[in-house]
Amino acid sequence: MADVTLNKLTKSFGPVEVIPELDLTIPSGSFTVLVGPSGCGKSTLLRMIAGLDDPTTGGLEIDGDNVLGKQPSDRGIAMVFQSYALYPHMSVRENISFGLRLAKTDPTEIDARVEEASKILQLDPLLDRKPKQLSGGQRQRVAIGRAIVRHPKVFLFDEPLSNLDAALRGQMRVEIMELHKRLKATMIYVTHDQVEAMTMADRIVVLNKGNIEQVGAPLELYDTPQTPFVAGFIGSPKMNMIEGAEAEAHGGDLLGVRPEDITLSTEGSGWSGRITLIEQLGSDSYAHVVTEHGAMIVRCGREASDWLDREVVLTPASDKLHIFRNGHRVSA
Amino acid sequence: MLRTREKIFCYVVAFAFILFLLAPIVWLLSTSFKGQLDIFADPPRLIATVTLDNYREVLGDRDFMHSFLNSILVSSGTVILSMILALPAAYGLSRLRSKTKVGLLSWVLLVRAAPGMIYVIPYFMAFNELGLMDTKAGLILINTVFTAPLAIWILISFFDGVPGEIEEAAFVDGATRWQTFTRVALPMAAPGIASAAILVFIFSWNEFLFALTMTRFESKTAAVAILNYMGYEGTEWGKIAAAGILILLPVAIFAIGIRKYFVQTSAGGVKG
Ligand SMILES: Nc1ncnc2c1ncn2[C@@H]1O[C@H](COP(=O)(O)OP(=O)(O)O)[C@@H](O)[C@H]1O
Ligand SMILES: [Mg+2]
């Protein structure tokens, strides 16, 4: 089984420590998303798994084999780059088959694999084109096709959708998830977009400055974020954060409530505030409220538009409060 | 948009400049088709009676044609040797990520910038010892001293233009560094290679100082052979002009050919 295990892995570029010390096991067959803000070391981590960078210290196993010192092509991995990284002077067919041709694979086998990949990705009509004759989405599919034909144990994706427009991104997201279902290979997917992480992953690893903040299923991270960073990073709009006396009253130094866990009303007890703005999304509305504890965003019904610029009362659901102390969740 | 008067001004300046650049060539071209008498007609005429005698005599001159062939062989040889040295060197320098790179590059530039005269005497003596005097191999060698750095400087920027991610994709696909060089970087830098090869050819073709000092007869090049028409018994202007035009011909063809490479890019491999 193609587990990927990182063992006390560290990485420094000169004096700059990018990955302090990191332990992580990525289970075989999982769709694991590494998510974190830009510059937190996601690409560095992926490149070390791929063998494009060497860790400074620590161990790295793929499928039980120590792969340190092995060439990328001997690790059973394939990688899809953010920039697609297609060979511009080769046709789509040549791009996809390049690795197989280098490995002196039997030509009939090459044809079979190219056909298989182009059927999965609907590349048939494009096989004789050059990359510059393709749209962004098509180029990304070619890059994925190049990965598929190698029959890797582990697929590595580095922000593969960030150069596509929103509509195409949604479509490619579904295609990659279907690909995972079909191939059942381990996929490690890097993104800075928490929506991508939530929708695609069966396991999310949240990274912050090279450290793992939390590992878990998407809803686990959403429902029980272990650190304020995860609480703020996962979910959109962001979780409301309250410091000070109100947090202390709940037994922590930081209190978080998601926009959908607060009820708005014109009377009753709770936090008082005034609605300054209402965002209408059609399905939902979000009220921006200035409260005694700072600015908050609250999900509300359409009727709330009548309350613009009026004093309102915010009542948080008492069982949905996220309480943190010293940067960690207070178990309660 | 430029106003009409400004446009006219631009055209006038451009034409004046072109005239300034082309006047000697026009004179050469017109002289090459004139008889000896017409050349010295007063006032000079641009178009006189057209005669092909000059070309007939130059093309029939075995010594000159021998030199012309030498020029082709020496220039082609210089292109090949320069490329064999410059391609891997430029690729390596382009991929080098350390401070040595800047140092190495300035040395390369220094060699290129030094006056050719500095090289003449040491090479003259060395070539005498090594038996390379008046040989095409020797001329190729000394030309390459100058053209390889030129080629390296041109090629580096084209190799710099090959995105790192594309090479990394090739590594993941199982390519060795050498295969990445030959099958990904070289084809992607093809426009640069063509530009560099053409410039090296033109440099070597026009090279005069070394060809004059390092050859006697056997490997004399066309640029030097023209001097034969400036004999004791007077200068044969018609032949000089015809020979000059013949020497100019390959350069002109290459100069036209090179234009399309300078605008070509390697779009499509990576985003945008
Ligand atoms: N080759 C390198 N040399 C020096 N610093 C680097 C290098 N590659 C990445 N870094 C640094 O490491 C940090 C993490 O980079 P990266 O892994 O690309 O982040 P991410 O992919 O999460 O945006 C950044 O601060 C970046 O500047
Ligand atoms: Mg990155």
Side-chain angles (χ1 to χ4, degrees), chain A residues 47 73 81 83 86-87 89 150, chain B residues 165 168 170 172-173 183 269:
Chain A
R47 292 168 52 83
S73 53
F81 295 86
S83 65
L86 301 179
Y87 312 120
H89 55 294
R150 310 193 53 220
Chain B
E165 282 202 348
E168 288 174 346
V172 172
D173 265 341
R183 301 185 62 166

Side-chain angles (χ1 to χ4, degrees), chain A residues 11-332:
Chain A
K11 177 69 181 175
S12 305
F13 292 105
V16 185
E17 191 175 55
V18 176
I19 312 272
E21 184 177 296
L22 192 140
D23 284 291
L24 178 66
T25 299
I26 291 161
S28 174
S30 71
F31 196 112
T32 298
V33 173
L34 306 182
V35 68
S38 174
C40 73
K42 308 178 296 287
S43 297
T44 306
L45 206 54
L46 206 64
R47 292 168 52 83
M48 286 193 287
I49 298 173
L52 295 170
D53 274 335
D54 291 323
T56 308
T57 61
L60 175 59
E61 288 180 5
I62 296 177
D63 205 7
D65 285 342
N66 174 15
V67 294
L68 285 184
K70 279 196 180 178
Q71 292 299 312
S73 53
D74 299 330
R75 296 185 174 202
I77 55 106
M79 186 152 172
V80 176
F81 295 86
Q82 176 176 1
S83 65
Y84 320 139
L86 301 179
Y87 312 120
H89 55 294
M90 297 185 199
S91 68
V92 168
R93 180 191 301 280
E94 289 166 334
N95 261 282
I96 295 178
S97 62
F98 185 63
L100 299 175
R101 286 183 285 131
L102 285 176
K104 305 245 185 306
T105 312
D106 181 49
T108 52
E109 170 75 9
I110 294 181
D111 286 345
R113 289 210 204 172
V114 171
E115 191 171 328
E116 178 201 6
S118 68
K119 208 155 70 194
I120 295 175
L121 298 164
Q122 293 137 36
L123 291 172
D124 281 315
L126 310 175
L127 282 177
D128 294 317
R129 295 211 196 155
K130 290 277 176 64
K132 65 166 166 269
Q133 298 166 294
L134 303 177
S135 69
Q138 290 169 332
R139 287 181 200 178
Q140 194 51 274
R141 286 220 292 276
V142 175
I144 294 172
R146 189 167 63 180
I148 291 179
V149 292
R150 310 193 53 220
H151 291 177
K153 293 185 253 182
V154 181
F155 282 85
L156 307 173
F157 294 90
D158 192 355
E159 312 222 12
L161 307 185
S162 52
N163 288 327
L164 302 179
D165 61 53
L168 208 51
R169 210 179 303 152
Q171 181 194 332
M172 285 303 295
R173 220 148 66 188
V174 175
E175 282 190 32
I176 292 175
M177 284 155 73
E178 279 170 354
L179 192 69
H180 177 245
K181 236 162 121 189
R182 178 174 193 146
L183 302 177
K184 298 187 174 57
T186 312
M187 292 194 174
I188 306 178
Y189 187 105
V190 159
T191 179
H192 66 270
D193 179 355
Q194 60 93 20
V195 177
E196 242 170 59
M198 288 296 285
T199 50
M200 299 177 80
D202 48 49
R203 248 168 116 264
I204 296 180
V205 177
V206 182
L207 287 172
N208 182 24
K209 298 189 184 125
N211 289 302
I212 295 180
E213 290 274 337
Q214 189 173 354
V215 181
L219 290 181
E220 199 180 323
L221 264 58
Y222 191 81
D223 292 337
T224 54
Q226 294 301 316
T227 65
F229 180 83
V230 176
F233 192 75
I234 303 283
S236 172
K238 277 179 186 256
M239 185 186 282
N240 300 298
M241 294 293 188
I242 301 163
E243 291 174 333
E246 184 68 15
E248 291 294 342
H250 287 86
D253 54 17
L254 189 68
L255 175 66
V257 203
R258 292 211 181 272
E260 68 268 30
D261 297 330
I262 299 177
T263 320
L264 272 190
S265 53
T266 46
E267 50 197 18
S269 67
W271 304 325
S272 63
R274 197 168 54 83
I275 299 182
T276 57
L277 185 88
I278 296 200
E279 281 182 88
Q280 289 287 2
L281 301 183
S283 56
D284 291 314
S285 308
Y286 289 98
H288 293 234
V289 191
V290 178
T291 74
E292 48 187 320
H293 303 300
M296 293 194 199
I297 295 180
V298 180
R299 191 172 78 185
C300 55
R302 293 187 182 188
E303 71 280 1
S305 53
D306 299 337
W307 302 340
L308 195 58
D309 286 326
R310 278 181 47 187
E311 298 297 322
V312 287
V313 176
L314 294 76
T315 318
S318 58
D319 56 336
K320 294 284 177 62
L321 296 177
H322 305 271
I323 302 155
F324 303 97
R325 182 175 284 285
N326 298 328
H328 288 283
R329 188 181 189 83
V330 176
S331 48

